[in-house]
Amino acid sequence: MANLLTDNFNRANSDTVGPLWTERGAAGVDYDIVTNAAEAIATGSGRDVFHSAVFSTADYTVQFDFIPVLNSDYVGIVGRRVNNGATDSDGYFLLLRNTGTNHLALWRRQAGVNVELGIYIVDVTEGQTYALKLSMQGTTIKGSLDGVERISVTNGDITAAGDAAGGLLSGVVVGCRWDNATVDDFGVAVFPDMWHPAMHQPQHPRIEFINY
């Protein structure tokens, strides 16, 4: 794999998330740097995100450390995110729900329509750090939680490379935090040539001369 983006958010408190990210959403959306992490300060009306620049490949993984607040609802990370209208976003959303029945969920949003692709029931605790990873390779879309794959589906609805983001699909987001963002592609590792002439010498039968 090759790294496309890395950000640990370790910088001074700021009213923006930083030069690698663009805030997008309805009027009032606000993500800041607070104590070395990206934090949701205010929300608009859903699909409020901070997103990266567009990638050159649609096959990549998005990973963030995510810290939910009490009653946070469908908040997490996004891949293959593309603009929809003036303030909305489409893409694959890997989300944690910390209200009602707690769970990890994978959603597809396209042309403003949400479709739930898969869920995994799990307790979600306010203030705990969760490693969220979204993997997109062709039509195989996977969601992992704390290093364990929990959701895997086949879906080819969104094929554009788009970008990566932290944010929400709907519900409460204020106070949620994101840290340690990493985006990697699926490039094939190239190994150095292991050929050595000593390993490829022609083999001859052994001949022994015996004196009588």
Side-chain angles (χ1 to χ4, degrees):
M1 288 188 174
N3 180 255
L4 302 177
L5 181 150
T6 299
D7 192 352
N8 61 14
F9 303 101
N10 288 345
R11 42 189 173 270
N13 290 355
S14 171
D15 189 42
T16 68
V17 182
L20 296 177
W21 308 96
T22 300
E23 297 174 36
R24 178 178 173 83
V29 61
D30 186 22
Y31 290 92
D32 293 354
I33 294 294
V34 179
T35 319
N36 297 321
E39 182 172 320
I41 304 301
T43 186
S45 60
R47 277 79 59 200
D48 298 326
V49 301
F50 59 97
H51 66 89
S52 68
V54 175
F55 300 118
S56 60
T57 175
D59 295 338
Y60 55 90
T61 64
V62 180
Q63 182 165 328
F64 280 80
D65 288 342
F66 173 65
I67 305 170
V69 296
L70 184 64
N71 294 327
S72 57
D73 194 7
Y74 296 117
V75 186
I77 64 176
V78 194
R80 294 187 185 172
R81 193 214 65 86
V82 295
N83 293 343
N84 174 27
T87 62
D88 207 344
S89 292
D90 289 346
Y92 291 108
F93 290 71
L94 183 66
L95 311 164
L96 280 177
R97 190 171 193 231
N98 186 25
T99 184
T101 301
N102 291 191
H103 62 268
L104 176 74
L106 176 62
W107 288 75
R108 183 273 283 154
R109 181 173 176 83
Q110 187 177 39
V113 177
N114 298 329
V115 174
E116 184 178 73
L117 301 177
I119 69 168
Y120 173 76
I121 303 299
V122 61
D123 289 335
V124 179
T125 303
E126 173 190 9
Q128 181 171 323
T129 300
Y130 296 91
L132 294 179
K133 183 177 181 180
L134 175 62
S135 171
M136 300 155 293
Q137 188 170 24
T139 60
T140 301
I141 314 298
K142 299 179 180 181
S144 299
L145 179 65
D146 293 334
V148 180
E149 181 184 309
R150 297 300 188 184
I151 301 172
S152 181
V153 301
T154 299
N155 183 272
D157 291 341
I158 300 175
T159 58
D163 53 50
L168 79 158
L169 186 64
S170 66
V172 175
V173 67
V174 173
C176 291
R177 291 165 62 83
W178 292 259
D179 202 358
N180 298 319
T182 303
V183 180
D184 293 316
D185 70 12
F186 285 93
V188 178
V190 178
F191 295 95
D193 188 358
M194 299 300 294
W195 186 88
H196 189 279
M199 300 172 61
H200 296 272
Q201 294 297 322
Q203 299 298 309
H204 300 286
R206 182 179 178 183
I207 302 175
E208 294 186 6
F209 295 90
I210 301 174
N211 293 323
Y212 289 96

